[in-house]
Amino acid sequence: MKKAKISNAVIRRLPRYLRHLAAIRREGEERTSSSALGARMGLTASQIRQDLSCFGEFGQQGYGYNVEKLYQELREILNLHQEKDAVLVGVGNLGHALIHNFKFRDSGVRLCAAFDADPARIGTQIDGIPVLDAGTLSSYLSQHPTVLAVLTLPGRYAQQTAETLAECGVRGIWNFTGFDVTLPPEHGGVVVESVHFSDSLQVLSYLIGNKD
Amino acid sequence: MKKAKISNAVIRRLPRYLRHLAAIRREGEERTSSSALGARMGLTASQIRQDLSCFGEFGQQGYGYNVEKLYQELREILNLHQEKDAVLVGVGNLGHALIHNFKFRDSGVRLCAAFDADPARIGTQIDGIPVLDAGTLSSYLSQHPTVLAVLTLPGRYAQQTAETLAECGVRGIWNFTGFDVTLPPEHGGVVVESVHFSDSLQVLSYLIGNKD
DNA sequence: TAGATTGTTAATCGATTAACAATC
DNA sequence: TAGATTGTTAATCGATTAACAATC
């Protein structure tokens, strides 16, 4: 039901808008404007108005934007208001850290189960999330339709596991393995979002190294 | 000694080039070309040549690029060849996971010490990395000049800790706190590279939600 | 009302792609 | 040599910024 294709640049700014709106909201402000928000975020007022206008008309001339309303609009645009079930695959240090620290709920995600191949972990719970046998992943998914999967297992299993997930109907894969995962289009456009720690560190390395 | 300013878009592609070159190298290939690399990475040959030409002339007409040479060139461009000392601040689950799993060495980073405020953790070691009292951070830094810091502590301490780090001469901050950190220019252009997990998940949420 | 600020159209800027002469 | 492929210049495309009429 969307009109024009939204550019990637715009999409990647949305969570940042949301973060700043959330902060302004916590500060108790009722209204803001494209110029105020822009000053705060280091963007031009023009860009903010242009970005938001991709999704609708959320402001009011002479007044600006109602913080609460714009905040909620952004949550809807990002589909955060809609509950999404997820599983996590690979309960190593990083998987454990995500289960324990990360606020999945803030993004509308309900982490339902974790999977691991290590018998010592299977059957345990982490913060109330059961750790199940990785061998039962696809049978679990067939019984519990799940839209999201968090990939935190060793890189060598990334591709194969991603394919299993895609076959079982997962729509989005949040990939922390550091390996690229490519899913053929027969899997109906499953989206892979990768968090490449090393890419980020290497960019930092570049930036500090060229400051001389 | 660099000529023109390199655009951010180019810089963020460099680690990805490196990753693919590393894979091609592992596969035992001796040469590649902008079109072969482009096909593999989903980029145009033109873009690859354009990107690389920002940094020098690494290819040869009629032949293409020597994989090993280009790989090493990219490592130099990113300053990965140059040893960089780092500290990690905040030894919670995520900090622990990074110390234990992340291959800092692959990016030329030597993690020298970790800091935490929890007395139960102070004095322990994680994979050979000593956990020191967070209260001694600045005195440590004055004795051990350190260019990089990994921020993995609770968000409410992010800004203040970043300022301390900047005052103590740290040049780059790798920020995992989920909070934005802003350093005034009086800190001589300390670079902050943030890994915002929630931004990434929210983009994924947007993308799967708009596939209907 | 007058001032402020929107959404949108037009202008500018920057990044990507195409074309091609140079040459291995 | 002929074919392949570079580095670079020019053309295109897309994203950002500026301008402004509409209006709260």
Side-chain angles (χ1 to χ4, degrees):
Chain A
M1 231 99 288
K2 276 280 139 52
K3 45 229 87 173
K5 169 120 182 26
I6 310 294
S7 84
N8 209 53
V10 172
I11 295 168
R12 302 232 158 235
R13 276 193 292 272
L14 295 177
R16 221 170 130 239
Y17 286 137
L18 187 70
R19 232 160 351 99
H20 282 264
L21 260 318
I24 294 171
R25 186 169 170 263
R26 269 195 307 275
E27 289 159 15
E29 296 295 327
E30 199 177 73
R31 63 172 285 269
T32 189
S33 65
S34 56
S35 53
L37 190 55
R40 176 170 188 137
M41 295 181 62
L43 302 173
T44 64
S46 217
Q47 177 160 62
I48 289 173
R49 294 204 299 280
Q50 192 75 281
D51 283 355
L52 294 178
S53 75
C54 298
F55 304 99
E57 311 195 353
F58 307 121
Q60 193 171 303
Q61 282 112 323
Y63 171 83
Y65 302 90
N66 176 280
V67 173
E68 181 65 24
K69 176 165 175 291
L70 186 55
Y71 173 78
Q72 296 299 346
E73 290 283 0
L74 276 167
R75 287 189 56 89
E76 289 205 19
I77 291 165
L78 289 163
N79 292 303
L80 308 186
H81 63 302
Q82 151 193 319
E83 182 116 311
K84 297 166 289 290
D85 282 353
V87 294
L88 180 145
V89 191
V91 189
N93 278 274
L94 179 61
H96 198 289
L98 284 171
I99 295 173
H100 191 62
N101 295 322
F102 186 74
K103 301 279 182 297
F104 286 96
R105 304 310 317 265
D106 288 356
S107 299
V109 174
R110 183 170 63 171
L111 188 58
C112 300
F115 292 85
D116 203 284
D118 181 350
R121 291 189 189 124
I122 296 168
T124 65
Q125 289 210 346
I126 299 170
D127 289 340
I129 309 296
V131 179
L132 308 178
D133 185 340
T136 67
L137 176 59
S138 50
S139 81
Y140 171 93
L141 291 171
S142 66
Q143 287 171 284
H144 304 84
T146 300
V147 294
L148 282 175
V150 187
L151 268 196
T152 47
L153 38 64
R156 62 186 172 284
Y157 306 119
Q159 179 64 35
Q160 174 206 310
T161 306
E163 287 170 16
T164 301
L165 291 164
E167 279 156 19
C168 294
V170 163
R171 306 271 308 286
I173 295 176
W174 199 21
N175 173 32
F176 285 87
T177 65
F179 281 65
D180 285 321
V181 157
T182 45
L183 293 172
E186 59 253 36
H187 289 308
V190 172
V191 182
V192 179
E193 167 74 16
S194 296
V195 179
H196 283 297
F197 290 173
S198 62
D199 287 19
S200 172
L201 179 59
Q202 288 172 12
V203 167
L204 183 57
S205 171
Y206 173 87
L207 293 171
I208 64 171
N210 285 274
K211 265 287 166 34
D212 305 312
Chain B
M1 233 102 287
K2 275 278 142 49
K3 45 229 87 170
K5 169 122 180 26
I6 310 296
S7 85
N8 209 53
V10 173
I11 295 168
R12 303 231 158 237
R13 276 193 292 272
L14 295 177
R16 217 168 134 242
Y17 286 137
L18 187 69
R19 236 168 339 107
H20 282 265
L21 260 318
I24 294 171
R25 186 170 170 261
R26 271 195 307 275
E27 290 159 15
E29 296 296 327
E30 199 177 73
R31 62 173 285 269
T32 190
S33 66
S34 56
S35 53
L37 190 56
R40 176 170 189 139
M41 296 181 61
L43 302 172
T44 64
S46 216
Q47 177 160 62
I48 289 174
R49 294 204 300 279
Q50 192 76 278
D51 283 356
L52 294 178
S53 75
C54 298
F55 303 99
E57 313 194 353
F58 307 121
Q60 192 171 305
Q61 282 112 324
Y63 170 84
Y65 301 90
N66 177 280
V67 173
E68 180 65 25
K69 177 165 174 292
L70 186 55
Y71 173 77
Q72 297 299 347
E73 290 284 1
L74 276 167
R75 287 189 56 88
E76 288 206 20
I77 290 165
L78 288 163
N79 292 304
L80 308 186
H81 64 303
Q82 150 193 321
E83 182 116 312
K84 298 166 288 292
D85 283 352
V87 294
L88 181 145
V89 190
V91 189
N93 277 273
L94 179 60
H96 199 290
L98 284 172
I99 295 173
H100 191 62
N101 296 322
F102 187 73
K103 302 278 182 296
F104 285 96
R105 304 312 315 266
D106 288 356
S107 299
V109 174
R110 183 170 64 170
L111 188 58
C112 300
F115 293 84
D116 203 284
D118 181 349
R121 290 188 190 126
I122 297 167
T124 64
Q125 290 210 346
I126 300 171
D127 289 341
I129 309 296
V131 179
L132 309 178
D133 185 340
T136 67
L137 176 59
S138 51
S139 81
Y140 171 93
L141 292 171
S142 66
Q143 288 171 284
H144 304 82
T146 301
V147 294
L148 282 175
V150 187
L151 267 196
T152 47
L153 38 63
R156 61 186 173 285
Y157 306 120
Q159 180 64 35
Q160 174 205 314
T161 307
E163 286 169 16
T164 301
L165 290 164
E167 279 156 20
C168 294
V170 163
R171 306 271 308 285
I173 295 175
W174 199 20
N175 173 32
F176 285 86
T177 66
F179 281 65
D180 285 322
V181 156
T182 45
L183 292 173
E186 60 252 35
H187 289 308
V190 172
V191 182
V192 179
E193 167 75 16
S194 295
V195 178
H196 284 298
F197 289 174
S198 62
D199 287 20
S200 172
L201 179 59
Q202 289 172 11
V203 167
L204 183 56
S205 171
Y206 173 88
L207 293 171
I208 64 170
N210 286 274
K211 263 289 165 33
D212 307 310

